[in-house]
Amino acid sequence: MTASMAFYADGNTVVRLNQYGTARTPLLTPDGEGHSLTVSAFARVPIAEHLTFARELAAACTDYVKALEIYAAALPDGETDRVEGP
């Protein structure tokens, strides 16, 4: 099965990390008004696969921050965003 979703973060979005020590897997949850996303590990998938995914997610998030910083630095003074499209 394939799926696609969009999560639009804004100033009200909160990212939570719930840690349970060694009792159970942690949960990563970005929450926004009217929507949330939970990333967690299930027992039916080997923990090594979860670790690989988490490391790739962390690397992609780091790259996303760098790309946003480049984008923000290119905006004219006083402009907060560019209108995209035709």
Side-chain angles (χ1 to χ4, degrees), residues 14-43:
V14 177
V15 179
R16 292 182 176 86
L17 173 61
N18 298 301
Q19 298 181 61
Y20 306 98
T22 58
R24 62 177 282 198
T25 58
L27 300 174
L28 177 65
T29 309
D31 287 317
E33 187 173 327
H35 61 279
S36 72
L37 172 68
T38 300
V39 178
S40 62
F42 290 103

Side-chain angles (χ1 to χ4, degrees), residues 53-73:
F53 169 77
R55 289 177 182 123
E56 290 174 359
L57 178 63
C61 287
T62 298
D63 290 344
Y64 179 67
V65 170
K66 290 176 188 174
L68 279 176
E69 289 170 340
I70 291 168
Y71 175 82

